[in-house]
Amino acid sequence: MYLAYKTFILHYWVDFSERTENIMQYESVALPDAMSVDGIYSVLRVEFSKAGVGIGEAHDFPEISFVSRGKHYGMIDGVTGERVAGQLVIIAPGSFHKATRPSDSELLIISFASGSSALQSLYNRTLNLSPSQEKNLRSIVEDGLGIFCRRAPGSDVQGMILKNDADESLLYKMKKELELFLVDLYRCFVSENKNESAAVKRYDLEFNRVVAFLSEHIDEALTVAEIAAATMIGVSKLKFLFREKSGGGVVNYFIEMKIERAKELIIMTDMTFTEIAESLGFNSIHYFSRLFKKLTGASPSEYRELHIDKHNAASK
């Protein structure tokens, strides 16, 4: 019996030794605390039809200001604007803000302490909340109104305090839900920015591709439909693209390219104006001359006379 017990202990010790020698080493991935909420200064529901305009304020912590009803007219750091129901702004620490005119609006306000640098990208921007985001924010505000109250009148310290009968578990709930709300806002904002950047890059590539095509076919008279077909871009999109990138239409842009090329030919060559017009796809010298004067302020002959001497002097 003793021998069997001793053998068992020996086997157990050997087995344990082998297992401790084979323990795997693990290293965890640190999780960011990017949107931490460290404290609450105020949770308010403000009806501006009753509150009036006020004198404004600035403080050293961020403030969520959400229009829950009506249209709100306000100013942040000298920039005036209006926000409608469903729109939110996170006012940056130190930014002076105030209502600029009376309105039948209601704001939900949460002022909080946070050292999160990621919040800076959201400051003083008007953000449109989704229905689910609005629902979450309203829930957070309702929790806050249930556990916080204003300080006694005449207090030297600003900010709200906990009610005597406050449910402390709601504090944990409010903190986590507010942090998740801010993370969701940040995620949506970054996603929108990436989508906008990708769209801008795509538009730049398409615009440059069309411009290159126009440059290669500058000797032709092309319509919008022909340009669209050749570059495989829809007519509507082509018009939108040039309106966004150049402020005008694609045909006008093409004409301006032709006139710029005409200016070079007038100065650099001995070609006649008729030859220049034909080389750039103009069927009429009169139409070419009229466009040239409209865009440069001088007729082709006036332009040549004005610039030829400068060109010759520079080439000597």
Side-chain angles (χ1 to χ4, degrees):
M1 180 68 183
Y2 174 75
L3 181 60
Y5 177 74
K6 187 175 181 181
T7 303
F8 168 77
I9 293 295
L10 179 61
H11 286 174
Y12 177 82
W13 181 83
V14 171
D15 181 56
F16 178 77
S17 299
E18 290 176 351
R19 283 189 287 119
T20 54
E21 289 177 0
N22 294 327
I23 290 177
M24 296 293 292
Q25 296 298 314
Y26 289 88
E27 187 172 308
S28 65
V29 176
L31 298 178
D33 195 16
M35 292 292 177
S36 63
V37 173
D38 306 316
I40 296 292
Y41 291 101
S42 62
V43 181
L44 302 169
R45 181 188 287 116
V46 181
E47 295 188 22
F48 273 83
S49 56
K50 299 177 181 178
V53 173
I55 61 174
E57 63 176 355
H59 36 66
D60 61 356
F61 47 81
E63 176 179 294
I64 293 172
S65 174
F66 173 71
V67 182
S68 62
R69 188 191 71 239
K71 182 183 290 186
H72 178 72
Y73 303 89
M75 180 269 288
I76 301 176
D77 284 344
V79 179
T80 59
E82 59 184 56
R83 289 183 287 130
V84 298
Q87 293 185 323
L88 171 147
V89 64
I90 302 179
I91 300 169
S95 289
F96 180 78
H97 53 283
K98 61 173 290 186
T100 54
R101 53 185 276 196
S103 64
D104 185 21
S105 63
E106 179 185 76
L107 296 188
L108 302 182
I109 294 173
I110 303 176
S111 300
F112 59 99
S114 177
S116 299
S117 59
L119 276 174
Q120 295 177 10
S121 60
L122 301 177
Y123 287 157
N124 296 349
R125 297 177 180 272
T126 298
L127 306 173
N128 297 299
L129 296 195
S130 67
S132 63
Q133 289 172 330
E134 180 175 341
K135 181 180 178 181
N136 292 339
L137 179 62
R138 288 182 181 276
S139 175
I140 295 168
V141 171
E142 288 302 318
D143 285 344
L145 293 174
I147 57 179
F148 293 104
C149 63
R150 294 180 182 273
R151 293 179 183 270
S155 174
D156 294 334
V157 180
Q158 300 295 314
M160 304 184 80
I161 59 174
L162 281 175
K163 294 180 179 180
N164 292 331
D165 59 347
D167 183 350
E168 194 170 301
S169 66
L170 287 179
L171 283 175
Y172 300 108
K173 177 175 178 286
M174 183 178 179
K175 171 181 170 64
K176 291 305 178 185
E177 288 184 351
L178 183 53
E179 289 175 341
L180 289 173
F181 173 77
L182 293 171
V183 167
D184 190 40
L185 279 186
Y186 180 76
R187 180 184 59 81
C188 291
F189 174 75
V190 170
S191 177
E192 288 175 3
N193 271 13
K194 285 182 178 179
N195 291 339
E196 289 177 5
S197 298
V200 169
K201 186 175 182 180
R202 185 172 67 253
Y203 288 155
D204 286 342
L205 291 173
E206 291 176 335
F207 179 77
N208 292 337
R209 180 161 58 86
V210 175
V211 170
F213 169 81
L214 296 178
S215 181
E216 293 172 3
H217 296 81
I218 201 165
D219 58 335
E220 300 177 30
L222 299 173
T223 64
V224 175
E226 290 171 334
I227 297 170
T231 56
M232 294 182 290
I233 298 176
V235 171
S236 297
K237 184 176 181 181
L238 184 64
K239 291 179 178 179
F240 169 80
L241 185 63
F242 272 78
R243 187 168 62 249
E244 289 293 307
K245 303 300 291 185
S246 71
V250 60
V251 171
N252 287 338
Y253 191 92
F254 194 28
I255 289 173
E256 291 173 1
M257 289 178 65
K258 290 173 179 284
I259 297 304
E260 286 299 314
R261 178 60 178 156
K263 287 160 65 175
E264 296 176 3
L265 294 175
I266 287 172
I267 297 173
M268 305 289 292
T269 73
D270 295 327
M271 295 171 66
T272 66
F273 301 135
T274 299
E275 290 172 335
I276 291 173
E278 290 176 350
S279 72
L280 295 173
F282 292 102
N283 296 325
S284 166
I285 180 60
H286 300 293
Y287 177 58
F288 165 72
S289 298
R290 188 166 67 251
L291 278 177
F292 190 92
K293 186 165 186 177
K294 179 182 178 181
L295 294 176
T296 66
S299 67
S301 58
E302 291 170 340
Y303 190 85
R304 173 169 275 172
E305 184 177 349
L306 181 64
H307 291 86
I308 192 68
D309 292 338
K310 294 181 182 179
H311 172 68
N312 290 338
S315 60
K316 287 181 180 180

